[in-house]
Amino acid sequence: MILVLPVDLDDDLGRKTGVRTPVIGRDAVEDAAVQLATADPEDSDVNVLFQAINAYEDLRADPTVDEEVAVAAVTGVNEGDVKANRAVGEEVDTVLAALSTGEEVRAIVITDGAQDESVLPVIRSRVPLDGVRRVVVRQAQDLESIYYTMKQVLSDPETRGTILIPLGVLLLVYPFSVIAGMLELPGAVVFGSISTLLGLYSLWRGLGLEEAVDGVAARVRTSLYAGRVTIVTYLVALALLVIGGVQGLDALGAAEAAGATDLTITQQLAVFVHASVQWAAAAGITSSLGQVTDEYLAERFRWRYLNAPFYVVAIAIVLYGLSGYFLPGAPSVGTTPLSLTRLALALTAGTLIGVLSTLTFAVAESRFPQEGDGDGDRGSETRAV
């Protein structure tokens, strides 16, 4: 069976005539088309209904078509594409159930433009399609498609922001120029500001920073609602890092002011690290303890998580010793280099702290497994057996 299926996605037929849909049968579709033409002669869906009747008659008169032919009009709703597509799908199901034929049904869809054709995947999921015919007024063949395309572009938030925001910034050039003239500001300030805004916006969109910012904001919001300690510890760690950076810059400035103006890159880096590494270590310990606390409260604690603060201390000791060894000789500002013996002690201490913490918590994890550990799970399964 061939089903000629005119589609009215925004339900002009039902809204303007009160006709109940779906409309099944040649006479019923013709009557609905006459009522719609009487109510609104300029509605393009009138052409769709009459084209469906015309296609129905042509198929019946075609001697090469030996199948039964039916026609039925379906409509959506005037509440957006998603609801409209769903409504059309439900009406197609109703039509197929009403035909109640044992033959395979194939459909020829009749539409009046690109908007109605957006429902084709919904129809195709229910019945195979033999073809799609678009009915348009000859004097305005592409007008509806252009209108629908523009409507879709402007209704999409991402596309709307990509097109309209730069256009809006450009349109502000003239009023900004007028304001700058009234304030006796040079025109270069206006054009420089506009160029800066467009450049920042282009970088923002091009690098996809909005997704990263949205993700960070979502994680922060989730952490606040969940009462996570890491929100506080991360802020404290950030403050400690800032303080350490300031301390490092101050130490570098003091070393240069003390007469060590010919510092090499290695010596400058050594002065900065030596003065700031304690603060960085405090920041690392603070953030790691906050993370361990959250894992414990969430019942996901593992002994090996306690390695983090010890590793931070070990790394800090190593960096402190290395940077101290390369310090320039400026006793007046406290930049006396460490001896090779003290460097060896620092490296040894850092290594021992890292190794001992790893071994200690590995033993603790094997002897005191937490709930959910592999050993603990296997032990509980063995006891259950």
Side-chain angles (χ1 to χ4, degrees):
M1 173 181 285
I2 300 177
L3 173 63
V4 181
L5 196 66
V7 177
D8 174 15
L9 191 62
D10 53 0
D11 194 24
D12 288 333
L13 177 61
R15 290 186 293 108
K16 296 178 181 180
T17 66
V19 173
R20 295 178 60 87
T21 56
V23 181
I24 304 174
R26 191 256 186 221
D27 294 337
V29 172
E30 182 178 11
D31 181 65
V34 172
Q35 291 188 52
L36 181 57
T38 303
D40 186 0
E42 297 181 350
D43 195 313
S44 59
D45 289 306
V46 174
N47 297 320
V48 173
L49 295 174
F50 280 118
Q51 176 62 40
I53 296 172
N54 180 266
Y56 170 81
E57 296 292 353
D58 289 345
L59 288 171
R60 292 198 59 183
D62 190 343
T64 62
V65 178
D66 56 356
E67 301 176 68
E68 186 177 352
V69 182
V71 59
V74 294
T75 64
V77 292
N78 191 29
E79 299 182 13
D81 288 349
V82 175
K83 291 185 178 180
N85 291 347
R86 186 178 300 171
V88 169
E90 293 174 354
E91 293 203 357
V92 170
D93 291 336
T94 303
V95 171
L96 295 176
L99 294 176
S100 62
T101 177
E103 302 180 50
E104 180 186 6
V105 179
R106 304 192 312 277
I108 298 176
V109 177
I110 313 293
T111 72
D112 64 346
Q115 182 177 12
D116 289 352
E117 290 179 9
S118 65
V119 78
L120 290 179
V122 177
I123 299 175
R124 189 179 289 112
S125 67
R126 290 164 168 79
V127 59
L129 298 185
D130 267 2
V132 179
R133 298 183 185 178
R134 180 188 295 188
V135 182
V136 292
V137 179
R138 289 189 179 90
Q139 290 84 348
Q141 187 168 1
D142 296 324
L143 183 60
E144 184 174 358
S145 295
I146 294 174
Y147 166 76
Y148 179 66
T149 301
M150 293 178 62
K151 182 180 177 182
Q152 287 293 98
V153 168
L154 296 179
S155 63
D156 181 32
E158 183 174 356
T159 309
R160 183 173 62 234
T162 303
I163 295 177
L164 294 185
I165 291 179
L167 180 61
V169 173
L170 288 175
L171 291 176
L172 289 174
V173 171
Y174 178 72
F176 281 171
S177 300
V178 174
I179 295 174
M182 295 173 60
L183 298 176
E184 298 182 354
L185 295 175
V189 174
V190 175
F191 290 103
S193 302
I194 298 295
S195 176
T196 301
L197 290 175
L198 287 176
L200 291 175
Y201 178 77
S202 299
L203 288 175
W204 179 271
R205 302 290 296 187
L207 296 175
L209 295 180
E210 67 277 3
E211 297 178 1
V213 172
D214 290 342
V216 171
R219 288 194 294 270
V220 170
R221 185 166 55 252
T222 302
S223 299
L224 287 174
Y225 291 156
R228 292 182 178 174
V229 179
T230 48
I231 280 290
V232 178
T233 56
Y234 284 166
L235 289 176
V236 174
L238 180 61
L240 291 172
L241 286 175
V242 172
I243 295 173
V246 173
Q247 290 290 325
L249 293 176
D250 289 344
L252 184 58
E256 293 177 347
T261 56
D262 56 344
L263 297 179
T264 64
I265 297 296
T266 302
Q267 290 175 328
Q268 292 177 359
L269 184 61
V271 171
F272 180 84
V273 171
H274 197 72
S276 62
V277 68
Q278 303 96 319
W279 297 96
I285 294 173
T286 302
S287 60
S288 61
L289 289 179
Q291 186 66 43
V292 170
T293 303
D294 277 344
E295 294 297 328
Y296 179 78
L297 295 176
E299 298 181 354
R300 296 192 301 266
F301 175 75
R302 299 292 181 270
W303 287 103
R304 59 179 175 271
Y305 294 168
L306 294 176
N307 279 317
F310 289 94
Y311 284 174
V312 170
V313 172
I315 293 172
I317 291 175
V318 171
L319 290 177
Y320 187 82
L322 283 173
S323 61
Y325 181 74
F326 290 102
L327 285 176
S332 60
V333 291
T335 58
T336 304
L338 294 180
S339 64
L340 187 60
T341 302
R342 291 189 176 184
L343 173 61
L345 290 175
L347 296 177
T348 303
T351 304
L352 288 176
I353 290 175
V355 172
L356 291 178
S357 69
T358 302
L359 291 176
T360 300
F361 295 120
V363 172
E365 195 163 85
S366 63
R367 295 194 177 185
F368 307 101
Q370 302 295 311
E371 184 179 354
D373 278 351
D375 295 341
D377 291 342
R378 288 191 294 269
S380 61
E381 292 173 0
T382 303
R383 286 192 296 273
V385 174

